[in-house]
């Protein structure tokens, strides 16, 4: 059940009291009305302080309505008081209103109903006031506690209000000091806002100085707000020195790291360059002694080969074969490292002519393997480099012939395809195929998926092909499935 509404009804006239009570009972469900007709009863009621509203007449035998009003407001400032009288004057009404009277109603027969309406309005107003007061207390508590500076300034830049955090941030003791020392350039910020379109708000990082001279970074959020006909600037001030410091350290660290990476890259490039030059010169220098070994082994084979016993003949043949293998490896290595340094000029190259040259070079292998090579007749002319294309296609075609299962006749098809602004040349074989997870690796130097006994080679052919194609601005790749043949492609503009 809700609490009854407790009313002090102060009127010497019994009939008036009865009429008022009747009206009140019509309007409010639960009522607790205390009728007061003497000073003693009034004092007791005030002392017990158990009422929510006071309804009083002005003219009383033992005091006046003003006296009642003063006493009630003194003891309980928020308690609504309604005066219902037929003896008051306008002056009395004004004075009573000044003292905090909620309503003043002239007693007339049809006015009793107004008393109840007046009580209701007064109670609502009291509740609203209470809520507002509570809100204010909470807001003030919050503003005092938070670490965020909150302030309000007028158009002249004068700071009208500020919370403790604002003063603390700027190392100030009072609002007066803030205005005297012009701790924050409010006129400029105000002026900036006037030039902005609605909602006239801005956020900026500013460097401010505390009263002791130390500087700090703050995030300043300002907005223009019209209040009671004037426009003020409300502002929030947040110390972001730590964040700024972290940002700066990060930036410095990044710069240092970048410099280090550049330094290391340069060192690495220099080391690579040295290594390549070294590889080139070693490969080059190995050639002469190797040729001597090959030459003398050949001589021995020719001159005394017939007289050697099978074991010794075998040894000599192996020396010769190994020397041949090293020679091929050195040739490949030299080609690979040269590709990096040689000047390459792009020129129109007829792919049909290139293919004819390549096939002529590979004739011995083609014949040995009885390979069938089918080249499309209408191969285009491309912007490339003839020497490089010959090298690349030789490597791709010799692989296509080489990597077939034992006893299978190699069948290779070469054709070109125009794709948007790219030309693709395809070399398709019926060989052993390449597993998907190895298709990228095989373009790296020395990656071989089979032993020398199964398929001879150096593992550099595709690396040469990739580097060559890259140097003429193209791409190379493969589509393949294990056991299903392969389709190598080169793409050129
Ligand atoms: P090499 O031919 O000297 O072994 P490559 O660099 O030309 O070296 O090729 C690398 C590896 O890629 C080969 O050892 C082989 O395992 C695989 N490969 C290249 N071409 C083909 C092909 N057409 N079919 C199947 N495997 C291939």
């Amino acid at each position: 059940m809700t609490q009854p509404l407790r009313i002090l009804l102060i009127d010497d006239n019994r009939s008036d009291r009865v009429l008022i009570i009747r009206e009140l009972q019509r309007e409010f469900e639960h009522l607790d009305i205390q009728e007061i007709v003497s000073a003693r009863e009034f004092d007791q009621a005030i002392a017990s302080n158990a009422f929510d509203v006071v309804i009083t007449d002005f003219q009383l035998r033992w005091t006046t309505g003003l006296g009642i009003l003063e006493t009630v407001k003194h003891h309980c400032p928020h308690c609504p008081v309604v005066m219902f009288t037929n003896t008051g004057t306008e002056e009395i009404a004004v004075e009573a209103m000044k003292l905090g009277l909620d309503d003043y109603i002239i007693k007339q027969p049809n006015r009793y109903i107004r008393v109840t309406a007046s009580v209701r309005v007064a109670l609502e107003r009291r509740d609203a006031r209470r809520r507002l007061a509570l809100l204010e207390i909470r807001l003030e508590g919050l503003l005092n506690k938070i670490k965020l500076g909150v302030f309000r300034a007028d158009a002249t830049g004068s700071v009208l209000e500020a919370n403790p955090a604002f003063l603390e941030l700027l190392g100030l003791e009072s609002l007066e000091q803030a205005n005297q020392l012009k701790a924050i350039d409010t006129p400029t910020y105000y002026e900036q806002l006037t030039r902005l379109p609605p909602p006239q708000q801005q956020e900026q990082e500013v460097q401010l100085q505390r009263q002791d001279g130390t500087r700090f970074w703050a995030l300043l959020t300002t907005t223009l707000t019209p209040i009671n006909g004037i426009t003020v600037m409300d502002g929030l001030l947040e110390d972001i020195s730590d964040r700024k410091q972290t940002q700066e350290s990060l930036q410095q660290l990044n710069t240092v790291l970048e410099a280090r990476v550049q330094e290391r890259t340069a060192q690495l490039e220099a080391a690579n360059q040295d290594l390549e030059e070294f590889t080139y010169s070693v490969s080059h220098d190995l050639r002469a002694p190797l040729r001597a070994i090959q030459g003398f082994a050949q001589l021995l084979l020719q001159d005394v080969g017939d007289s050697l016993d099978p074991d010794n003949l075998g040894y000599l043949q192996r020396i010769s074969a190994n020397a041949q293998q090293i020679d091929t490896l050195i040739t490949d290595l030299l080609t690979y490292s040269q590709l990096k340094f040689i000047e390459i000029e792009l020129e129109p190259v007829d792919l049909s002519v290139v293919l004819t040259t390549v096939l002529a070079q590979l004739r011995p292998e083609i014949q040995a393997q009885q390979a069938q090579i089918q080249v499309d007749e209408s191969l285009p002319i491309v912007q490339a480099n003839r020497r490089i294309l010959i090298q690349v296609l030789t490597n791709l075609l010799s692989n296509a012939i080489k990597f077939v299962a034992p006893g299978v006749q190699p069948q290779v098809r070469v054709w070109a395809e125009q794709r948007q602004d790219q030309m693709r040349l395809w070399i398709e074989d019926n060989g052993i195929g390449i597993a998907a997870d190895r298709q990228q690796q095989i373009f790296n130097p020395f990656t071989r998926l089979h032993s020398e006994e199964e398929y001879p080679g150096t593992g550099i052919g595709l690396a040469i092909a990739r580097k060559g194609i890259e140097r003429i601005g193209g791409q190379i790749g493969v589509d393949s499935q294990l056991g299903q043949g392969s389709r190598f492609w080169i793409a050129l503009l």
Side-chain angles (χ1 to χ4, degrees), residues 399 402-403 429 434 442 447-450 457-459 461-462 488:
N399 280 349
K402 179 166 63 169
F403 291 104
D429 64 44
I434 304 153
I442 53 171
T447 308
R448 309 202 66 239
L449 308 181
H450 309 94
T458 58
L462 287 180
F488 279 83

Side-chain angles (χ1 to χ4, degrees), residues 108-220:
Q108 275 172 8
N110 57 352
R111 289 287 180 95
Y112 289 86
I113 190 169
R114 263 202 61 186
V115 176
T116 53
S118 184
V119 166
R120 187 172 285 286
V121 170
L123 281 170
E124 279 169 9
R125 210 180 302 139
R126 179 201 64 183
D127 290 347
R129 266 203 302 262
R130 267 190 196 158
R131 280 200 297 273
L132 200 67
L134 265 178
L135 263 183
E136 265 174 23
I137 290 167
R138 266 202 247 147
L139 190 66
E140 212 175 300
L142 198 70
L143 286 181
N144 289 343
K145 263 187 251 153
I146 51 171
K147 289 242 181 298
L148 197 67
V150 183
F151 67 94
R152 172 169 286 177
D154 65 13
T156 66
S158 174
V159 182
L160 307 171
E161 293 174 41
N163 70 341
F166 175 85
L167 299 175
E168 203 178 307
L169 277 176
L170 292 160
L172 297 165
E173 269 155 30
S174 65
L175 202 59
E176 292 71 48
Q177 206 183 21
N179 282 318
Q180 262 168 24
L181 300 174
K182 303 200 183 325
I184 163 166
D185 189 7
T186 39
T188 304
Y189 301 136
Y190 192 103
E191 206 264 329
Q192 287 172 353
L193 288 173
T194 56
R195 280 187 271 125
L196 293 180
Q200 297 188 292
Q201 192 174 54
Q202 71 172 346
E203 205 178 77
Q204 53 192 319
E205 290 184 353
V206 289
Q207 216 182 9
L208 298 174
Q209 194 167 0
R210 293 194 192 87
Q211 220 244 310
D212 63 7
T214 54
R215 298 176 77 80
F216 70 102
W217 276 99
L219 179 69
L220 175 69

Side-chain angles (χ1 to χ4, degrees), residues 236-279:
L236 296 178
L237 199 64
E238 186 188 353
D239 187 345
I240 53 164
S241 304
D242 287 352
R243 196 197 308 165
K244 265 296 208 220
Q245 175 92 44
T246 318
Q247 254 174 20
E248 271 166 24
S249 323
L250 261 180
Q251 245 160 19
Q252 274 172 5
L253 200 70
N254 262 346
T255 321
V256 172
L257 275 180
E258 239 164 63
R260 253 189 233 163
V261 168
Q262 267 173 14
E263 203 181 308
R264 290 273 155 86
T265 313
Q267 284 172 352
L268 209 65
E269 270 170 9
N272 257 344
Q273 175 93 7
D274 285 353
L275 198 68
E276 281 182 24
E277 278 166 17
F278 175 76
T279 317

